[in-house]
């Protein structure tokens, strides 16, 4: 059953430690690299060799990319992977990264049951736990269609078992990051997490694909109640940084195009498609 349509979650076995999997026995969709600058960049530069549902993964990402051109810092223990989704509907893409946020939440909560219902989304694509950043998402549509398919590379970084105290990075520079191992007794191994993420992302790809389903069943439409429930910002006073100004307002929710709605001091509600939010 499709989780995004509100069906029951199933529990999955987890392991505390993640032994290095037998590399000769990896699933065919998994491209495991010893190291690379950025799994998203790799997925773009190797586009012709990758297919719908393929996953590029490395334990050593040396020049990770984040939102708005920022650097994504990936010390040991941060899971870094990119998922290839093809044949998506370009008109629905504005809502995709929020939906990916839900997929990340579901995958982590399935495998770390003691985090059940603790994860939240901070628009547009941060996954938080206890108001600290557990995961980040970078969705990039390929420029021009790859082999005639509208493709999106979904990059996901999850702070799985990273020691941010030892790395000595400034908490603000790493968005107040927190690692799953410091919150949960169960830390899923990488392969289980990749499988679970892929499972949900393939479900999403179906909902964001070019089909003749009615608009009420496509994109974010059916996910709005769950997005609202998981919205870390709703009701908060926030500041949104745009390229030329910063706007203050109260977050009132997310619309079906994935825009953040802010009530401004003059009581009008304005939708935002991008920007960096603090609260
Ligand atoms: C953000 O929070 O700013 C987005 C972070 C996205 C990081 C992931 S890690 C895997 C993939 N490869 C990249 O270079 N970036 C994404």
């Amino acid at each position: 059953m499709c989780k995004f349509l509100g069906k029951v979650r199933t529990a999955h076995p987890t392991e505390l430690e993640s032994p290095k999997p037998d590399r000769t026995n990896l699933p065919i969709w998994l491209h495991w690299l010893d190291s690379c600058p950025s799994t998203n960049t790799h997925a773009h530069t190797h586009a012709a060799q990758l297919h719908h549902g393929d996953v590029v993964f490395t334990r050593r990402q040396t020049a990770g990319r984040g939102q708005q051109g920022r650097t994504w810092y990936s010390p040991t223990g941060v899971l870094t992977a990119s998922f290839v989704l093809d044949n998506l509907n370009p008109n629905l893409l504005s809502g995709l990264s929020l939906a990916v946020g839900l997929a990340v939440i579901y995958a982590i909560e399935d495998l770390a049951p003691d985090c059940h219902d603790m994860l939240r989304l901070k628009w547009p694509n941060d996954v938080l736990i206890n108001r600290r950043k557990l995961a980040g998402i970078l969705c990039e549509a390929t420029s021009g269609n790859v082999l005639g398919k509208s493709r999106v590379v979904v990059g996901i970084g999850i702070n799985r078992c990273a020691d941010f105290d030892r790395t000595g990075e400034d908490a603000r520079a790493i968005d107040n990051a927190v690692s799953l191992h410091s919150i949960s007794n169960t830390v899923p191994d990488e392969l289980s997490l990749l499988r679970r993420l892929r499972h949900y992302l393939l479900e999403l790809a179906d909902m964001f694909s070019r089909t003749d389903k009615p608009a009420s069943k496509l994109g974010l439409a059916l996910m709005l109640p769950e997005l609202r429930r998981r919205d870390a910002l709703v009701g908060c006073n926030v500041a949104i940084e745009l390229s030329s100004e910063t706007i203050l307002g109260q977050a009132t929710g997310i619309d079906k195009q994935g825009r953040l709605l802010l009530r401004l001091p003059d009581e009008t509600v304005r939708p935002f498609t991008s920007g960096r939010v603090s609260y």
Side-chain angles (χ1 to χ4, degrees), residues 14-31:
T14 57
E15 298 164 15
L16 258 178
E17 266 315 300
S18 67
K20 200 168 185 172
D22 172 5
R23 298 277 292 272
T24 57
N25 211 10
L26 294 176
I28 189 157
W29 45 263
L30 181 56
H31 303 254

Side-chain angles (χ1 to χ4, degrees), residues 237-254:
N237 292 321
V238 307
I240 181 163
E241 234 176 90
L242 307 176
S243 49
S244 55
E245 57 180 332
T246 298
I247 292 176
L248 304 179
Q250 188 188 50
T252 62
I254 289 161

Side-chain angles (χ1 to χ4, degrees), residues 2 27 33-34 64 66 71 109 120 124 136-137 156 203 260 278:
C2 178
L33 309 176
D34 285 333
T71 300
E109 289 190 2
R120 294 289 176 268
I137 295 155
I156 299 176
E203 284 191 353
L260 175 69
S278 47

Side-chain angles (χ1 to χ4, degrees), residues 37-41 56 61 63-68 70-74 78-82 125-126 133 135-140 153-158 175:
S38 151
T39 54
N40 265 36
T41 305
V56 180
Q61 180 171 261
R65 297 188 289 107
Q67 287 293 319
Q68 295 160 331
R70 293 195 296 272
T71 300
W72 170 262
Y73 180 61
S74 324
V78 176
L79 179 136
T80 52
S82 299
N125 42 31
D126 287 353
K133 182 159 171 171
I137 295 155
L138 179 65
C139 292
E140 296 179 309
V153 171
V154 175
I156 299 176
I158 299 178
D175 284 334

